[in-house]
C-alpha cells in the first residue's frame, strides 16, 4: 500500500469512526509500519510513556502499528531508575523492554547521564571521588541490567551549555561541578567496558538553525566530539534530538556539514527526539500541519544529504501526550500539534514525511 493510499484509508476510517462510533483502536491504525519493519531502510521509533501502554488502548495500537523501535521517555532516567542511592528500580524499564521484544521492536536507552531528572540524593555528593564512584556505579548497574536487550544508549544527554560562551562551554550539572569535562569520558568508558557492543550516543538539541546561538552550539558539540575521539574515548554516534522550532528555517547546508564532519570522525548519526514546536505557527491546524511536515522534511533531507541516520525517533506519537506545552503553550489556547498523529490519533502530514523517509532511506 502506498502512503497516499494509507492516508486516504485513514481519512475514510476516521470519518467512519466518527459517524458510527467505531472502535477508537481502528482510528489509530496506519499503514502498519510496524508490520513492514523488515522492509524499511531506517527503523522508525517513538518515545513511549510506559503507563500509557496500559491506560490508553489507542496509544498502544498506534505504537504497535507504526514503530520498529521505542525509547523510554522517562522510565530509564536516573531519578526513576535509582531513586535511592544504591537501590535500582528497573520495573518500568523492564516493562518497556518486554513490550518491545514481544512486538518485534528494538529499544533504545535514554539516558544514563543528564543534568536533569536526577534523584534528590545526588545533591548530597560533595567530592570528586564520590561523584566518580556514583557515576560509575549508576552506569554499571543500568547498562549491565539491560545488557543484550538494549543495544543503543544515550550515554550523555545535552552536555553543552544552553548558550555556549565559547566552543568548550559545557552545561552545568552535578557531574561537571565535581568532575569537570572528564565526566563524559568516565561515562563513555564505563558504558563501553560493561557492554563493548553498545552504540554509545551523545544526544543534543538546538543544532539545526542559522540562529547565532545554534551556530555556536554546532561548533561546541563538534569540538566536544573531536576532543573525545582524539583521546580515544569510545563513542558511536551523535544523536540529533530534533526538537525543531516551527518558525525557524532549517539551515540545511549547516546540518549536512555537521553530519559530514561527524561521519568524518568515524561516528554515526541518528534522530532521537523529533517533534516540531509550533507555538509560533499559524492557528489554522491544516496550515500548521503542512508547515510542520515541511520543517521535518527539510531536517531529515539535510541529514540524509550527508549520511543515512541509523534510526529516526519522534518524541512521542500523538499530540495527546507531548512535553511541548510544558514550555511552549500557544497564546491562542489551541493545542500544540508537534507529533505525527493528532490528539485523536489521526495521521498528519508529518507521519507521511517520516515514514516515507524511513522506507526509502532518503
Ligand atoms: O509522573 C508525574 C506525575 O505523577 C505527576 O502528577 C505530574 C505532575 O507534574 O508529573 C509527572 O512527572 C512528569 C513526567 O514528565 C511525566 O509526565 C514530570 O513532572 C516532568 O518533569 C517530566 O517531564 C519530562 C522531561 O523530559 C523531564 O524528565 C518529559 O515528560 C519528557 O518528555 C522530557 O524529555 C526530554 C528528554 O528527556 C531530553 N530532551 C528534551 C526532552 C523534552 O523536554
Amino acid at each position: 500500500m502506498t502512503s497516499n493510499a494509507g492516508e486516504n484509508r485513514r481519512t475514510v476510517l476516521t470519518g467512519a469512526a466518527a459517524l458510527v462510533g467505531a472502535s477508537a483502536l481502528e482510528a489509530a491504525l496506519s499503514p502498519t509500519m510496524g508490520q513492514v519493519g523488515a522492509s524499511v531502510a531506517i527503523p522508525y521509533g517513538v518515545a513511549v510513556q510506559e503507563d500509557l501502554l496500559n491506560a490508553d488502548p489507542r496509544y498502544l495500537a498506534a505504537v504497535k502499528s507504526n514503530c520498529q523501535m521505542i525509547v523510554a521517555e522517562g522510565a530509564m532516567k536516573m531519578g526513576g531508575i535509582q531513586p535511592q542511592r544504591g537501590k535500582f528500580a528497573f520495573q518500568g524499564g523492564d516493562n518497556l523492554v518486554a513490550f518491545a521484544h514481544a512486538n518485534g521492536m528494538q529499544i533504545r536507552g535514554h539516558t544514563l547521564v543528564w543534568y536533569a531528572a536526577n534523584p534528590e540524593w545526588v545533591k548530597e555528593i560533595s567530592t570528586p571521588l564520590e561523584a566518580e564512584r556514583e557515576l560509575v556505579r549508576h552506569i554499571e548497574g543500568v547498562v549491565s541490567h539491560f545488557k543484550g536487550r538494549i543495544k543503543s544508549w544515550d550515554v550523555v544527554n545535552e552536555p553543552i551549555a544552553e548558550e555556549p560562551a565559547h566552543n568548550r562551554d559545557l552545561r552545568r550539572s552535578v557531574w561537571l561541578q565535581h568532575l569537570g569535562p572528564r565526566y563524559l569520558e568516565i561515562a563513555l568508558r564505563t558504558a563501553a567496558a560493561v557492554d563493548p557492543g553498545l552504540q554509545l550516543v551523545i544526544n543534543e538539541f538546538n543544532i539545526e538553525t542559522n540562529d547565532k546561538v545554534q551556530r555556536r552550539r554546532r561548533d561546541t558539540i563538534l569540538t566536544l566530539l573531536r576532543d573525545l575521539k582524539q583521546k580515544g574515548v569510545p563513542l558511536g554516534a551523535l544523536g540529533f534530538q530534533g526538537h525543531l522550532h516551527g518558525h525557524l528555517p532549517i539551515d540545511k547546508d549547516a546540518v549536512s556539514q555537521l553530519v559530514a564532519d561527524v561521519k568524518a570522525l568515524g561516528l554515526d548519526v541518528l534522530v532521537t527526539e523529533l517533534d516540531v514546536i509550533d507555538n509560533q505557527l499559524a492557528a489554522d491546524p491544516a496550515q500548521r500541519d503542512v508547515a510542520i511536515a515541511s520543517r521535518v522534511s527539510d531536517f531529515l533531507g539535510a541529514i540524509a544529504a550527508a549520511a543515512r541516520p541509523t534510526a529516526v525517533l519522534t518524541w512521542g506519537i500523538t499530540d495527546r501526550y507531548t512535553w511541548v506545552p510544558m514550555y511552549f503553550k500557544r497564546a491562542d489556547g489551541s493545542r500544540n500539534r508537534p507529533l505525527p498523529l493528532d490528539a485523536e490519533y489521526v495521521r498528519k502530514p508529518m507521519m507521511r514525511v517520516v515514514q516515507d523517509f524511513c522506507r526509502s532511506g532518503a
Side-chain angles (χ1 to χ4, degrees):
M1 183 188 292
T2 67
S3 49
N4 273 345
E7 296 246 303
N8 293 340
R9 173 174 165 267
R10 178 95 317 285
T11 311
V12 170
L13 268 180
T14 310
L19 278 175
V20 300
S23 159
L25 282 182
E26 252 209 317
L29 294 175
S30 77
T32 59
M33 266 294 268
Q35 290 154 25
V36 295
S39 65
V40 300
I42 303 170
Y44 167 57
V46 300
V48 166
Q49 296 182 34
E50 188 233 337
D51 51 336
L52 295 175
L53 292 173
N54 294 320
D56 183 343
R58 290 193 296 176
Y59 181 83
L60 175 70
V63 174
K64 281 169 76 166
S65 63
N66 284 290
C67 305
Q68 297 87 51
M69 186 181 277
I70 59 168
V71 60
E73 183 165 349
M76 296 183 188
K77 288 172 180 168
M78 191 177 187
I81 220 163
Q82 200 188 160
Q84 290 169 289
R85 197 189 286 235
K87 291 200 176 139
F88 290 90
F90 290 120
Q91 196 56 56
D94 283 344
N95 291 346
L96 285 179
V97 170
F99 168 80
H101 288 188
N103 290 286
M105 298 173 191
Q106 302 170 58
I107 174 162
R108 303 196 61 247
H110 172 89
T111 173
L112 295 171
V113 186
W114 196 19
Y115 73 93
N118 286 323
E120 280 298 308
W121 64 262
V122 301
K123 292 182 186 153
E124 295 160 12
I125 293 174
S126 60
T127 66
L129 198 66
E130 189 186 6
E132 180 163 352
R133 196 179 60 220
E134 293 303 344
L135 185 65
V136 167
R137 178 157 69 167
H138 181 72
I139 295 172
E140 285 180 346
V142 176
V143 174
S144 63
H145 179 82
F146 292 110
K147 188 170 177 178
R149 301 185 293 158
I150 290 185
K151 303 204 168 86
S152 174
W153 267 102
D154 292 331
V155 179
V156 183
N157 194 36
E158 302 170 3
I160 65 175
E162 186 84 21
E163 299 193 4
H166 54 81
N167 69 3
R168 285 193 170 78
D169 197 3
L170 299 182
R171 191 182 282 274
R172 305 291 171 259
S173 70
V174 63
W175 314 113
L176 187 75
Q177 179 196 337
H178 293 294
L179 298 168
R182 76 188 178 95
Y183 87 84
L184 284 119
E185 180 172 350
I186 295 169
L188 290 158
R189 287 195 191 281
T190 304
V194 177
D195 187 349
L198 276 183
Q199 182 191 48
L200 306 170
V201 179
I202 289 186
N203 202 30
E204 245 331 328
F205 69 101
N206 277 359
I207 48 174
E208 56 276 328
T209 75
N210 189 31
D211 160 79
K212 187 172 163 230
V213 172
Q214 295 210 17
R215 288 205 303 270
R216 175 61 68 73
R217 287 174 61 80
R218 271 195 294 281
D219 186 16
T220 309
I221 191 72
L222 189 58
T223 304
L224 174 65
L225 301 180
R226 279 196 178 124
D227 287 351
L228 291 167
K229 286 299 286 184
Q230 221 158 36
K231 286 189 200 147
V233 177
L235 178 62
L238 171 64
F240 279 77
Q241 289 191 0
H243 293 294
L244 309 180
H245 293 268
H247 60 290
L248 298 177
I250 304 298
D251 186 337
K252 293 191 253 181
D253 289 344
V255 169
S256 302
Q257 186 61 52
L258 177 57
V259 173
D261 290 341
V262 169
K263 288 299 283 187
L265 292 172
L267 302 174
D268 284 323
V269 298
L270 67 163
V271 177
T272 52
E273 305 188 11
L274 184 60
D275 55 19
V276 181
I277 297 163
D278 62 338
N279 60 328
Q280 297 191 46
L281 292 182
D284 176 63
Q287 236 182 304
R288 218 191 305 165
D289 289 349
V290 168
I292 285 168
S294 161
R295 278 292 173 261
V296 168
S297 174
D298 284 353
F299 177 62
L300 295 177
I303 291 175
R308 179 178 287 188
T310 62
V312 173
L313 296 103
T314 52
W315 204 241
I317 193 164
T318 161
D319 296 336
R320 182 172 282 262
Y321 309 113
T322 161
W323 70 283
V324 170
M326 289 200 302
Y327 297 104
F328 300 101
K329 265 199 175 43
R330 289 181 55 85
D332 63 11
S334 69
R335 192 192 272 273
N336 295 94
R337 304 176 64 84
L339 287 166
L341 304 178
D342 77 6
E344 294 306 322
Y345 294 88
V346 177
R347 287 163 57 81
K348 299 190 299 181
M350 177 178 173
M351 182 63 102
R352 182 153 46 85
V353 168
V354 171
Q355 290 188 332
D356 283 355
F357 180 81
C358 287
R359 280 199 184 95
S360 68

